[in-house]
Amino acid sequence: MDLTKLTAVQRKVINKNYKICVIGAGHVGLVSAACFSELGYRVICVDNDTNKIKSLKKKILPFYEPGLDSIVIKNINKGNLVFTSALEQSIKKADVIFIVVGTPSLADGSADLTSIENVARTIARNLNSYKLIVEKSTVPVQTGSKVKETIYRYRKNNTEFDIASNPEFLREGKAIYDFFHPDRIVIGVEHDRAEMILKSLYASIKAPIVVTDINTSELIKHASNSFLATKISFINAVAHICDLAGANVKEVALGMGLDKRIGKEFLNAGLGYGGFCFPKDLEAFIYISKKLGYDFKLLQEVKKINDEQRRYLVDKIKEHLWVLKNKKIAILGLSFKPDTDDMRFAPSIDIVSSLLDEGACIKAYDPQSNSEAKKVFGNRKIEFAKNAYTAVKNCDCVCILTEWEEFKKVDFSKFKKLMHYPLIADGRNMFDKKQVEASGFKYIGLGT
Ligand code: UDX
């Protein structure tokens, strides 16, 4: 490479002597900022939520993510990672800017890009030197060209910049691992210098790098999440058929997943997907596809199957308990998946609300999410328990809604002594039906 031709930023990148600004301290932004600082880069993490920034400066994290607190604290102490709400100054200081702000769903299913546009305008107004502006938020295809157009329109001078797309594939609960051990790194660029900067930034991470254009990079993200959601809805539809046919969906999934072309991951039938990503990304992909002229019917069906899974479990419980009014039901697991306190689009929200609407009395326990659940359920009458055994005491049914590791070790004979009626509704098929029935329980599964 002819070093004389490199820009100042490219030289800084090679010497690792440049500043990264991460805009957005959410589940993706905070993890990315912390992990970039762990790689030795100097990172400024910006968020307009001043309370969140105040807490982060005091080394208090806004959400639970295993291992994140130690990385954040270590790099604050090393001076590699700073938090601020001062967006304009941070932009001015930065060489590479990652846009990691939220893109929530609007009522019509489209992604709300207000924050993206605001940030693009602010970057334009503070473009005091060459910067690489990288979309890490999950955005509909062609957003990159809108960000570029916005910066050209609002910049005060002809300072050069580049746009890139670098979607994240971080799973909540495993985000740190996923950052350092990705299956692939996807970068969408228009110019070699942008490619060179991003390749250098990720140089110490061993993973295949897919270099493509910005539109394609944006589409890879939506297509990946939508395919994963499709696998989940597929196996959940098969679970319904297994219930009708007297087959076992866990064994169907095993038999399918050994085919390398199918793969065993994401074939766990249960209450379906929740979280902030799959529901939002599916809606956004359906919307942008229709806007482009393609009616993505398959994904509409994926969403429909997923929504039906919640009601399916409640109907099965009603079949066993007949009248739910005044029945005591224990809920084990509130978060949308284990190892997180995130309850966004969690199946527990629909299921607990349906049971309450039927007049049931709810006692709930989640290893991490009790306090989050109190905010989500507001003034609905729910008793929160400190552990699983307290939750099931005197109950007519125990519902497993999130497959937390600690639930795998519960003592069913103790449960039986504590409960009024030994019924378990296993929304995540985490137990073996025969073993649970051998402990004297009635067992409800989904397809098992
Ligand atoms: C997902 C994608 O995996 C990640 O790449 C993307 O960046 C963000 O969205 P996340 O939402 O954190 O990550 O969780 P994930 O582990 O993918 O599970 C998504 C949902 O699917 C969860 O609600 C989970 O309970 C459900 N699921 C997953 C199933 O119902 N069955 C499965 O077999 C796997």
Side-chain angles (χ1 to χ4, degrees), residues 168-170 172 221 232 266 268 273-274 277-278 336-337:
E168 52 80 24
F169 301 99
L170 306 177
E172 289 187 41
K221 172 66 184 177
I232 293 166
F266 280 69
N268 302 323
Y273 56 81
C277 295
F278 282 11
F336 84 91
K337 61 181 269 197

Side-chain angles (χ1 to χ4, degrees), residues 415-432:
F415 266 20
K416 192 157 184 297
K417 288 194 190 88
L418 287 165
M419 289 176 76
H420 181 245
Y421 178 62
L423 170 64
I424 177 167
D426 183 2
R428 292 295 178 179
N429 290 340
M430 69 185 288
F431 295 105
D432 177 279

Side-chain angles (χ1 to χ4, degrees), residues 394-441:
N394 298 329
C395 284
D396 302 291
C397 174
V398 51
C399 293
I400 307 287
L401 303 187
T402 314
E403 65 280 26
W404 283 93
E405 193 59 31
E406 71 174 70
F407 297 156
K408 289 180 183 154
K409 301 166 193 131
V410 293
D411 175 347
F412 277 98
S413 53
K414 207 171 156 195
F415 266 20
K416 192 157 184 297
K417 288 194 190 88
L418 287 165
M419 289 176 76
H420 181 245
Y421 178 62
L423 170 64
I424 177 167
D426 183 2
R428 292 295 178 179
N429 290 340
M430 69 185 288
F431 295 105
D432 177 279
K433 179 176 179 178
K434 291 195 177 69
Q435 270 176 13
V436 172
E437 287 174 338
S439 312
F441 271 77

